[in-house]
Amino acid sequence: MTDFLNKAQELFPYTQTLRRDFHQHPELGFKEIRTAGIVAKELIVLDMEVTTGVAKTGVIGLLEGAQPGPVILIRFDMDALPVTEETGVSFASKNTGTMHACGHDGHTAIGLTVAKILHAQRENLSGTVKFVFQPAEEGTCGEEIGGAEMMIREGVLDSPKPDYALGLHLWNEKPLGWIGAAAGPVMAGAEEFKITVAGVAGHAAIPDNTIDPILAASHIVTALQSITSRNVDPLEAVVVSVTMIHGGDAFNLIPSEVKMEGTIRTFDLSVRENVLRRFDEIVTGIAKSMGCKVSVDLKQLTPAMINADQIAFHVQASARKVLSDSDLDTASQLTMGAEDMAFILEEIPGCYFFVGSANDEKGLNYGHHHPKFNFDEQAMPCAAALMAEAVTRLLKGNS
Ligand SMILES: [Zn+2]
Ligand SMILES: [Zn+2]
């Protein structure tokens, strides 16, 4: 029997060196050129068949086991954020204004560690492991679509087509030693909306000669909150948030238009349909009733992330085996945050799990995307061991 946790701990210096190097040289979405170069080099050393330049900077590595079997895709994201680092660590970002503030430096290092572990275990592998190092998880970075969607468009789910998919996130909302692997929905589907309310500008002292888009927009903002309180089952999780509102530039002038932006988050498909319908009815109905013209631009960012029951149970069994001391949480941690691995899990049954990485004593407990975000690096061997075990067991089919 292979002790994957021991293996991962032996490899810790390798993992840590990689992670700190990626941390010092963070790259934004679709610009992970240096990172992808290191990833490709490390995979080629392991004799993998490597494809680079998928969705600009994505890298795919194929590891063939000694025996035939299913194909399992494991995905790690590589991109950093436009954040100015304030951690003060010795390996802080050298690219001012760009920072690995979500932990994707750790994910990339974990992925390469899993590659090393599984490569050494090829004799015990029945099937193919498709390592996917993905660009641009954090957003579309000026492109029409983000990294996962673009990799799918460029064939990451074809030849060979994966039978299963796994992904993970280091999770600073929970302490080191905590593992979250739940069946069913885990992260929300996200939409982005843009609304332009157009009226007729004029002097504020003669409002009857104007059509006031600020008044109409205000009613819209208020009425949109009735969707969650009056149109959705109170036990369903839904968010409708207007997060930007711009209009006017003089105290005595009613402007001609107001622009608003925001986001909608849902888990359930039929709930989503209902929310989007009410959203449109409220926005267009109120604008019309107040004499304004309105345009609504609604874009789906990601679908909801739904873990397949059987694969989630499999990950849970793997955690019980390799991380027997860990605090395994199988209840869904439903978060309204979104994650573009959901596009992959929409096509392939799989599981996206969380690995606790906070450490209060060491002050490593800032939230994801915070300028002081940093995680306990001991979470990396835990994550690598769990991923290696889950892959090996899934390929053997012994859940
Ligand atoms: Zn993030
Ligand atoms: Zn992230």
Side-chain angles (χ1 to χ4, degrees), residues 77 79 102-104 107 137-138 169-171 339 352 368-369:
D77 42 13
D79 56 324
C102 199
H104 301 184
H107 299 170
E137 188 283 321
E138 296 286 5
H169 210 298
L170 294 172
W171 205 233
E339 154 65 63
Y352 188 80
H368 295 267
H369 295 202

Side-chain angles (χ1 to χ4, degrees), residues 141-153:
C141 303
E143 299 295 325
E144 184 199 337
I145 50 177
E149 226 183 337
M150 199 182 288
M151 285 194 91
I152 292 171
R153 203 178 271 187

Side-chain angles (χ1 to χ4, degrees), residues 35 96 124 127 143 146 152 192 212 218 247 250 256 281 315 354 361 364 373-375 377:
T35 309
T96 309
N124 298 327
E143 299 295 325
I152 292 171
E192 175 188 357
D212 185 355
S218 307
S256 61
E281 286 169 359
V315 172
F354 299 87
E361 280 167 27
L364 303 170
F373 172 83
N374 193 7
F375 58 84
E377 289 177 323

Side-chain angles (χ1 to χ4, degrees), residues 34-277:
R34 182 182 180 279
T35 309
I38 293 168
V39 167
K41 197 184 104 223
E42 291 297 314
L43 298 181
I44 287 167
V45 168
L46 301 176
D47 290 328
M48 285 197 205
E49 183 189 323
V50 174
T51 313
T52 58
V54 185
K56 299 181 190 290
T57 48
V59 181
I60 301 172
L62 286 180
L63 178 67
E64 299 288 350
Q67 295 92 34
V71 178
I72 179 161
L73 179 157
I74 55 176
R75 175 276 210 173
F76 306 91
D77 42 13
M78 305 187 288
D79 56 324
L81 284 156
V83 171
T84 301
E85 180 158 358
E86 293 173 14
T87 60
V89 294
S90 59
F91 52 94
S93 169
K94 288 183 172 171
N95 302 344
T96 309
T98 304
M99 176 189 174
H100 269 296
C102 199
H104 301 184
D105 49 346
H107 299 170
T108 310
I110 290 163
L112 292 174
T113 306
V114 174
K116 256 197 180 342
I117 294 173
L118 292 181
H119 177 262
Q121 295 297 320
R122 266 201 289 193
E123 293 307 309
N124 298 327
L125 285 184
S126 316
T128 305
V129 189
K130 193 169 199 173
F131 286 83
V132 173
F133 290 86
Q134 183 205 300
E137 188 283 321
E138 296 286 5
T140 55
C141 303
E143 299 295 325
E144 184 199 337
I145 50 177
E149 226 183 337
M150 199 182 288
M151 285 194 91
I152 292 171
R153 203 178 271 187
E154 295 187 17
V156 74
L157 301 184
D158 311 321
S159 54
K161 180 179 175 354
D163 298 287
Y164 313 110
L166 295 176
L168 61 78
H169 210 298
L170 294 172
W171 205 233
N172 253 28
E173 306 302 318
K174 295 284 182 181
L176 177 69
W178 177 92
I179 302 292
V186 285
M187 293 185 100
E191 336 277 327
E192 175 188 357
F193 62 76
K194 295 182 178 171
I195 302 170
T196 303
V197 183
V200 174
H203 199 291
I206 319 169
D208 48 315
N209 279 354
T210 71
I211 297 177
D212 185 355
I214 287 187
L215 186 60
S218 307
H219 279 277
I220 289 171
V221 172
T222 309
L224 283 177
Q225 292 313 309
S226 71
I227 298 177
T228 51
S229 68
R230 288 297 174 271
N231 302 135
V232 175
D233 179 342
L235 298 178
E236 291 284 349
V238 171
V239 168
V240 179
S241 292
V242 177
T243 55
M244 286 167 60
I245 177 160
H246 295 289
D249 40 28
F251 86 97
N252 56 359
L253 178 72
I254 288 169
S256 61
E257 65 174 31
V258 171
K259 288 184 182 291
M260 296 188 280
E261 296 188 23
T263 185
I264 296 171
R265 307 282 163 118
T266 54
F267 285 99
D268 183 82
L269 271 184
S270 67
V271 170
R272 171 177 181 263
E273 228 167 82
N274 181 34
V275 168
L276 296 188
R277 184 178 51 78

